Amino acid sequence: MHEFHYAKEHGIARTFSKALRLIEKSLLLGLLAASALKAQQSSPSAQAWAGVVRTAAGEPVAGAKVTVFTPGAKKNPTAVTGTDGRFAIADLRPGPNRVSVQMPGRGRTAQVVVIITSVTIVLTVSDQNVLSMAANPQTSAGVSNGNPSTTSNAASGTSEEKLSSQKVSELPLNGRDFSTLLLLAAGTMTDVNGQTNFTQQFAINGQRGVEAVFAMDNADVSDPEMGGSTFTNFNVDAIQELQSSSGWMPADIGRGAAGFTNIVTRSGKSGFHGSFFEFLRNSALDARNYFDHPSIADPGRIPPFRRNEFGFTNGGPVVLPKVYDGRDRTFYFVQYQGFRQVLGTTQVLAVPTAAERRGQDVVTYSDGSTDTLQVPVNPAIETVLARYPLPNNPTGAYGARTYAAPSNVNTDTDQFSIRIDQKIGAKGQLFGRFNYDNLTGPTTNPDQTLIDPSFGVQYVDRQRNGVITYTRTVSSHFLWSTSLSFTRTTPSFVTANHTDPALKFIDGLFEAFNGAAGSVGVREFVPGTIEFCVDEPAARAEVGCGSTP
């Protein structure tokens, strides 16, 4: 009886001991699991990564698939962008990874290396389906892809400015001249002293304007003679991005001590896109300011002014029905812009009076009496004097010799460009572009056109530029590019008159005659003689040099 009771109590004790050990193990395992979960939540080994997908024009892309390729991972995490182009992927390993984007209707881009951080990233997919990255400027000043920062860097002495096509087209530009946007960069101002041939120049950080380098699609378009930029009137609707650097230049720029400006032109897309535009400025639509009033030279309400800027852009894939289908492979972009301007100017000249053309010199003495001297006029110079208009404003700046009249200054420009982009395999990209710009005007001597319209001298320039570039992506860490380009400009000052001599009066009594074409001296009327000399060899045989009694 006692033995049975002891055995029963001994079995209960062993059962209780096993249950206690089981509870201890469960508590220990629960504690370890909680510790591991807490460590996982606080560990930097996994974190969320957010960003936004945009087009090259800066527009958000909805429905784009973002895939992150992590080394050693069994499954690559993906995310689809919302209507605002934003995405977020959780539980990513920090450090180097690869990312690819597939936009709706396109294939997947090539993988790009990215360092996963907490910084919001901006993924930009170009029209050629090339992926690039940058940090969101609202969250960081650098780029979290292992490359140098693309913004201002005071430590390195380098400053960079970038304007997208949307910003370029939205900003008000007088004359649609994109080069004026450079004045938005710090330390940049116009260099008036260097503007010798109607090419805009900019002094950057105190350097001379000729030290600035300009490029279009990384092809040099600097004026080869005087510096500054050619194609300053390039169609702003055909500009994809405007890049400007100053300070210490990167190695890929190569030259230029002041600044480097690169104009990235637009390329075609998978769909057909285009635009037509017309910009009008007319004095008939302007209000009169305080200083505008009718005069003999300009009897109208305000000085006349007319400007028309018109053109078109068009781009898309190269598709020739039943011949060639270049969708997702070959793209084109073409643009044209015309510029017509008529600027009214007021010219005030000193011209001979009717009496002086007959050789009469009226002398007025202090007592009010007058004396008229008759001077014989050589027939050769008499013909020249007869071509001057008669004075019309006796109370003007030159007294009885004052002639005031409006003179129009005309400027006509036609510029055109075409660009072709071609994908060569999965890693090659070839593009070519050709520009021409025909500039005629303005007239440099509008005063002379009042004497004879053929005396006008116009600035004429025929600018040409072309580039061919091949880029090959060898790997995600290495690519190479080669480019061939040319630039041709023909700045000149052309006059239509090649027969009349150029004369100027030595004492400045009258306005020069055909003054922009040469030099001829004719002295003031002196009793008894007129002295003159024609410097034009062609006219020397007919007129000669000497004096007449």
Side-chain angles (χ1 to χ4, degrees):
M1 183 70 178
H2 292 284
E3 292 180 0
F4 175 78
H5 181 73
Y6 172 77
K8 183 177 181 180
E9 290 181 352
H10 185 67
I12 295 174
R14 284 187 297 177
T15 303
F16 179 78
S17 178
K18 289 182 179 180
L20 182 61
R21 286 197 296 269
L22 181 61
I23 294 175
E24 289 178 354
K25 290 181 180 180
S26 300
L27 292 176
L28 180 60
L29 290 176
L31 181 61
L32 292 176
S35 300
L37 179 61
K38 183 177 180 180
Q40 182 178 5
Q41 292 176 349
S42 61
S43 174
S45 61
Q47 63 183 34
W49 186 56
V52 59
V53 178
R54 296 177 180 174
T55 64
E59 301 174 352
V61 179
K65 184 179 180 181
V66 181
T67 305
V68 177
F69 299 88
T70 303
K74 296 182 179 180
K75 184 178 181 181
N76 298 318
T78 61
V80 179
T81 59
T83 56
D84 57 354
R86 297 187 177 275
F87 68 92
I89 302 178
D91 299 336
L92 290 179
R93 179 187 302 175
N97 290 268
R98 299 176 185 272
V99 64
S100 177
V101 177
Q102 183 176 5
M103 297 178 62
R106 295 193 190 180
R108 179 181 294 173
T109 65
Q111 299 178 19
V112 177
V113 176
V114 61
I115 298 177
I116 300 298
T117 67
S118 60
V119 176
T120 302
I121 204 75
V122 177
L123 303 178
T124 302
V125 181
S126 69
D127 298 332
Q128 290 76 38
N129 208 33
V130 177
L131 177 63
S132 61
M133 292 179 296
N136 191 333
Q138 297 178 355
T139 60
S140 175
V143 177
S144 58
N145 60 356
N147 295 331
S149 173
T150 58
T151 58
S152 298
N153 191 334
S156 64
T158 301
S159 177
E160 297 187 4
E161 304 286 343
K162 289 187 178 182
L163 289 174
S164 65
S165 59
Q166 181 179 2
K167 296 296 183 183
V168 171
S169 61
E170 288 179 352
L171 290 173
L173 301 175
N174 185 20
R176 290 171 61 83
D177 183 357
F178 71 86
S179 64
T180 57
L181 294 173
L182 299 180
L183 298 176
L184 299 176
T188 303
M189 62 180 298
T190 56
D191 183 8
V192 181
N193 294 328
Q195 189 176 347
T196 57
N197 64 342
F198 291 84
T199 298
Q200 184 75 290
Q201 293 188 2
F202 298 91
I204 302 175
N205 295 335
Q207 298 285 342
R208 297 180 62 186
V210 295
E211 299 297 333
V213 178
F214 292 84
M216 183 174 293
D217 296 320
N218 293 315
D220 197 333
V221 292
S222 302
D223 190 289
E225 180 183 7
M226 300 304 300
S229 174
T230 57
F231 299 97
T232 55
N233 63 327
F234 188 76
N235 189 348
V236 296
D237 291 344
I239 295 178
Q240 180 62 45
E241 187 177 46
L242 185 63
Q243 305 169 346
S244 178
S245 304
S246 62
W248 294 102
M249 295 293 105
D252 57 345
I253 292 177
R255 68 183 182 90
F260 176 80
T261 301
N262 183 38
I263 302 99
V264 181
T265 62
R266 292 180 61 183
S267 61
K269 301 181 180 180
S270 57
F272 292 96
H273 302 273
S275 65
F276 292 90
F277 61 89
E278 160 73 20
F279 293 89
L280 169 67
R281 289 186 62 184
N282 196 303
S283 56
L285 307 176
D286 296 339
R288 185 182 69 85
N289 64 35
Y290 179 80
F291 298 98
D292 288 334
H293 57 85
S295 63
I296 294 177
D298 187 10
R301 182 176 62 92
I302 55 178
F305 177 69
R306 297 186 300 275
R307 175 187 290 174
N308 294 83
E309 294 175 86
F310 51 91
F312 70 90
T313 63
N314 182 256
V318 177
V319 177
L320 302 176
K322 299 181 180 181
V323 178
Y324 179 75
D325 188 354
R327 293 182 178 91
D328 296 329
R329 288 181 298 171
T330 309
F331 305 90
Y332 76 93
F333 190 89
V334 61
Q335 64 84 23
Y336 164 80
Q337 178 172 276
F339 180 90
R340 304 291 185 268
Q341 177 175 287
V342 178
L343 176 63
T345 63
T346 300
Q347 304 296 326
V348 181
L349 317 177
V351 297
T353 63
E356 290 171 338
R357 299 167 195 245
R358 297 190 298 267
Q360 297 177 357
D361 184 19
V362 180
V363 179
T364 302
Y365 299 100
S366 57
D367 60 355
S369 59
T370 61
D371 189 9
T372 301
L373 301 178
Q374 184 67 40
V375 180
V377 181
N378 187 287
I381 196 66
E382 183 179 9
T383 304
V384 172
L385 297 178
R387 295 178 63 177
Y388 280 88
L390 290 171
N392 62 357
N393 188 11
T395 60
Y398 301 103
R401 299 187 180 98
T402 304
Y403 174 74
S407 178
N408 292 334
V409 177
N410 299 334
T411 303
D412 296 340
T413 300
D414 293 286
Q415 61 94 10
F416 170 85
S417 71
I418 183 171
R419 170 172 173 157
I420 301 294
D421 292 81
Q422 175 68 46
K423 291 183 179 180
I424 303 178
K427 297 183 178 181
Q429 181 76 27
L430 177 69
F431 96 89
R433 175 187 48 76
F434 175 75
N435 292 18
Y436 83 76
D437 185 9
N438 291 344
L439 173 62
T440 303
T443 305
T444 61
N445 56 346
D447 53 344
Q448 290 292 310
T449 60
L450 296 179
I451 302 175
D452 190 323
S454 66
F455 291 171
V457 177
Q458 282 190 322
Y459 174 74
V460 176
D461 196 359
R462 301 292 182 257
Q463 302 175 356
R464 304 290 185 267
N465 174 258
V467 60
I468 297 176
T469 300
Y470 177 73
T471 303
R472 185 168 184 83
T473 304
V474 180
S475 67
S476 60
H477 300 279
F478 176 74
L479 64 84
W480 60 269
S481 177
T482 182
S483 179
L484 176 66
S485 65
F486 75 92
T487 300
R488 178 178 182 266
T489 63
T490 61
S492 58
F493 297 87
V494 180
T495 179
N497 192 302
H498 301 279
T499 57
D500 286 313
L503 297 88
K504 65 178 181 180
F505 295 86
I506 296 177
D507 55 3
L509 184 66
F510 304 133
E511 176 74 16
F513 181 84
N514 198 13
S519 61
V520 172
V522 179
R523 293 186 179 180
E524 186 181 358
F525 290 103
V526 178
T529 183
I530 297 179
E531 296 184 5
F532 62 91
C533 182
V534 180
D535 290 344
E536 294 286 344
R540 187 184 297 273
E542 300 179 5
V543 181
C545 297
S547 61
T548 60

